[in-house]
């Protein structure tokens, strides 16, 4: 998994976590269904934004969801996942950009790709992904040539860039590629009038993706002597932060011009979470309140029904809750989808029975092989079926009050 928009489930709440996971699984399954199991490795957090935007503009009368079978990454549970042209467009964009990324690493001789046999295999995989992305894009009416052209121009621009070159000259190919992808979601949703503002939002999103990647890699690139756009152009971190803040503000203004059917998740990801992505990249993100260590260095204990002791989404502080929020919600003071009036999580569910010894052993090895024991935010214990958290999870979240200076909330 990679991408800069990595929301914390404590901020998303039950309703939006379910929707976000539906799009993530939908992208993964679209890649598998059209291009085979290996293509699933290009699943990424930013790519699912294409699927989110398409659905946010679409008529809700269509079949936007389907029930997917058990998956090891979901603890062998079924799930409702996104389907349709939005997921396929997200898959096409992810494949083309991943293909370009692999070719770039091969050209730079990074890590194992410096070895000729590995590089040859990687080039073959990249070529297959590029061709697959072209087919998927054509199937939904999207010309991936604009993405390929942007990737090809990027290398030439980086070669010519030097001190004094405007950093926005370097980010332009990425801006062009993401603008085209965002704008095409309006075509898929049957709302061509949204294409203009979505192209602007996509252009600024691409700028942010390039800038934040450069900021996060600055130290490592300096140690390795690798090319970095900030170092090459002499752009200071202060200037990069100014441009990033302006881009976040521009995305918010562009989204105001878009006609959505259901803007909730799109607004949360592209307004609130995008701001937090900038804070995280520049090191100004505090630890999420739900993951503050307890008095003995342990995470806070859960509430009586499995929720956090204080539900940050209950009551009037949540801009997405019922009672006047711009995005809407259900219930009075109940927060997201079914959260109780006392803010202590969803209604209690009947306890699940323990797994038998051999079934638990099988689940244990499955959790090990899928890295859920160490990396998952939450998983079921292999024998007890109690909710547990991965031992080396990385929350990357900055507070669960979901409040920011956003006029639209």
């Amino acid at each position: 998994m990679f991408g800069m928009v990595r929301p914390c489930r404590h901020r998303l709440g039950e309703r939006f976590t379910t929707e976000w996971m539906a799009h993530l699984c939908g992208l993964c399954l679209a890649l598998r269904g059209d291009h085979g199991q290996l293509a699933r490795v290009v699943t990424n957090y930013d790519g699912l934004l294409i699927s989110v935007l398409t659905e946010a503009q679409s008529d809700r009368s269509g079949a936007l969801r389907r029930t997917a079978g058990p998956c090891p990454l979901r603890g062998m549970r079924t799930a409702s996942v996104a389907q349709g042209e939005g997921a396929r467009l997200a898959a096409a964009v992810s494949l083309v950009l991943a293909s370009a990324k692999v070719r770039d690493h091969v050209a730079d001789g990074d890590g194992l790709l410096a070895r000729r046999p590995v590089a040859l295999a990687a080039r073959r995989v990249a070529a297959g992904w590029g061709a697959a992305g072209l087919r998927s894009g054509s199937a939904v009416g999207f010309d991936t040539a604009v993405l390929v052209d942007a990737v090809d121009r990027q290398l030439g621009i980086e070669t010519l860039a030097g001190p004094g070159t405007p950093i926005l000259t370097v980010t332009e190919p990425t801006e062009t590629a993401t603008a085209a992808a965002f704008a095409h979601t309006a075509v898929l949703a049957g709302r061509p009038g949204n294409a203009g503002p979505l192209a602007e939002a996509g252009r600024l999103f691409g700028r942010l993706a390039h800038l934040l990647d450069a900021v996060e890699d600055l130290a490592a690139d300096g140690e390795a002597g690798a090319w970095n756009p900030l170092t090459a152009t002499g752009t200071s971190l202060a200037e990069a932060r100014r441009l990033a803040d302006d881009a976040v503000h521009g995305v918010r203004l562009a989204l105001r011009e878009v006609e959505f059917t259901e803007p909730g998740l799109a607004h949360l990801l592209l307004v609130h979470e995008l701001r937090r992505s900038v804070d995280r990249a520049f090191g100004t993100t505090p630890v999420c309140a739900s993951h503050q260590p307890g008095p003995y260095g342990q995470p806070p204990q859960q509430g009586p029904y499995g929720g956090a002791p204080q539900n940050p989404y209950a009551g009037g502080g949540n801009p997405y809750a019922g009672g006047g929020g711009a995005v809407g919600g259900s219930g009075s003071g109940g927060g997201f989808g079914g959260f109780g009036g006392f803010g202590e999580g969803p209604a209690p569910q009947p306890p699940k029975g323990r797994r038998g010894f051999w079934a638990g052993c099988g689940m244990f090895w499955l959790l090990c092989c899928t890295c859920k024991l160490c990396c998952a935010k939450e998983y079921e214990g292999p024998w007890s079926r109690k909710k547990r958290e991965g031992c080396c999870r990385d929350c990357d979240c900055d507070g669960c009050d979901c409040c920011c200076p956003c006029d639209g909330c």
Side-chain angles (χ1 to χ4, degrees), residues 319-336:
Y320 292 97
V327 179
S330 59
S332 57
F336 290 129

Side-chain angles (χ1 to χ4, degrees), residues 204-293:
L204 294 171
F205 183 88
R207 177 182 300 179
L208 267 175
H210 205 131
L211 284 173
L212 299 190
D213 184 63
V215 170
E216 291 176 343
D217 293 346
L218 187 59
D221 287 345
E223 293 177 1
W227 193 91
N228 185 284
L230 300 181
T231 305
T233 61
T235 303
S236 66
L237 282 175
E239 176 64 8
R241 179 61 191 256
R242 184 189 69 81
L243 291 171
D245 288 340
D246 286 348
V248 171
H249 182 66
V251 169
R252 175 159 60 94
L253 294 179
L255 291 180
R256 289 181 180 178
E257 307 300 321
V258 179
E259 182 181 353
F260 286 115
T261 302
E262 176 51 63
L265 184 60
H267 175 87
L268 187 59
L269 296 177
L270 287 171
V271 175
H272 295 265
E273 293 303 329
L274 210 53
R275 166 65 62 187
R276 292 184 172 95
S277 298
V278 173
D279 289 336
R280 182 170 56 241
F282 284 91
T284 57
T285 305
V287 176
C288 171
S290 293
H291 293 86
Q292 291 283 3

Side-chain angles (χ1 to χ4, degrees), residues 258-401:
V258 179
E259 182 181 353
F260 286 115
T261 302
E262 176 51 63
L265 184 60
H267 175 87
L268 187 59
L269 296 177
L270 287 171
V271 175
H272 295 265
E273 293 303 329
L274 210 53
R275 166 65 62 187
R276 292 184 172 95
S277 298
V278 173
D279 289 336
R280 182 170 56 241
F282 284 91
T284 57
T285 305
V287 176
C288 171
S290 293
H291 293 86
Q292 291 283 3
Y296 303 104
Q298 299 297 324
Q301 298 299 313
Q302 291 185 332
Y305 305 129
Q310 294 180 350
N311 175 17
Y313 293 99
N318 173 19
Y320 292 97
V327 179
S330 59
S332 57
F336 290 129
F339 273 57
F342 292 99
E344 293 186 344
Q349 300 295 324
K352 297 179 180 179
R354 290 176 58 89
R355 289 191 180 92
F357 176 76
W358 293 112
C361 287
M363 182 56 66
F364 174 80
W365 287 112
L366 186 63
L367 292 170
C368 285
C369 293
T370 57
C371 301
K372 298 198 77 171
L373 284 177
C374 61
C375 302
K377 292 284 195 304
E378 186 179 85
Y379 67 90
E380 281 188 353
W383 287 278
S384 68
R385 304 188 78 157
K386 292 181 180 178
K387 297 296 183 184
R388 304 185 184 280
E389 292 182 320
C391 58
C392 58
R393 65 196 181 279
D394 179 12
C395 176
D396 258 352
C397 55
D398 60 342
C400 299
D401 54 353

Side-chain angles (χ1 to χ4, degrees), residues 26-346:
L27 170 58
C28 181
L29 293 175
L31 287 164
R32 186 200 66 179
D34 291 343
H35 311 293
Q37 292 284 358
L38 181 60
R40 299 173 79 177
V41 303
V42 308
T43 303
N44 64 96
Y45 296 134
D46 292 346
L48 69 86
L49 291 173
I50 302 295
S51 180
V52 170
L53 283 172
T54 304
E55 184 176 289
Q57 303 170 75
S58 299
D59 184 357
R60 295 285 163 161
S61 63
L64 301 177
R65 293 282 191 274
R66 69 178 180 87
T67 300
C71 174
L73 298 179
R74 293 192 299 268
M76 298 307 295
R77 290 189 294 266
T78 61
S80 176
V81 303
Q83 66 172 349
E85 294 184 328
R88 298 186 70 187
L89 175 61
V93 172
S94 297
L95 282 167
V96 173
L97 296 183
S99 170
K101 188 88 170 175
V102 170
R103 292 201 306 269
D104 183 52
H105 285 308
V106 170
D108 293 341
D110 294 335
L112 290 175
L113 294 175
R115 300 181 180 180
R116 184 175 177 82
V118 179
L120 289 173
R123 285 195 187 96
R124 182 168 296 180
V125 170
W129 283 348
L134 177 61
R135 292 194 304 271
S136 285
S138 298
V140 294
F142 180 64
D143 185 4
T144 58
V146 65
L147 306 183
V148 176
D149 176 68
V151 170
D152 292 341
R153 287 190 296 109
Q154 187 72 55
L155 181 59
I157 290 174
E158 291 180 357
T159 302
L160 297 175
T165 301
I167 187 67
L168 297 187
T169 301
V170 180
T171 64
E172 181 274 324
T174 307
E175 296 178 22
T176 301
T178 50
F182 273 45
H184 197 68
T185 65
V187 177
L188 296 182
R191 296 183 183 268
N194 288 341
L198 282 174
E200 176 66 8
R203 183 179 67 82
L204 294 171
F205 183 88
R207 177 182 300 179
L208 267 175
H210 205 131
L211 284 173
L212 299 190
D213 184 63
V215 170
E216 291 176 343
D217 293 346
L218 187 59
D221 287 345
E223 293 177 1
W227 193 91
N228 185 284
L230 300 181
T231 305
T233 61
T235 303
S236 66
L237 282 175
E239 176 64 8
R241 179 61 191 256
R242 184 189 69 81
L243 291 171
D245 288 340
D246 286 348
V248 171
H249 182 66
V251 169
R252 175 159 60 94
L253 294 179
L255 291 180
R256 289 181 180 178
E257 307 300 321
V258 179
E259 182 181 353
F260 286 115
T261 302
E262 176 51 63
L265 184 60
H267 175 87
L268 187 59
L269 296 177
L270 287 171
V271 175
H272 295 265
E273 293 303 329
L274 210 53
R275 166 65 62 187
R276 292 184 172 95
S277 298
V278 173
D279 289 336
R280 182 170 56 241
F282 284 91
T284 57
T285 305
V287 176
C288 171
S290 293
H291 293 86
Q292 291 283 3
Y296 303 104
Q298 299 297 324
Q301 298 299 313
Q302 291 185 332
Y305 305 129
Q310 294 180 350
N311 175 17
Y313 293 99
N318 173 19
Y320 292 97
V327 179
S330 59
S332 57
F336 290 129
F339 273 57
F342 292 99
E344 293 186 344

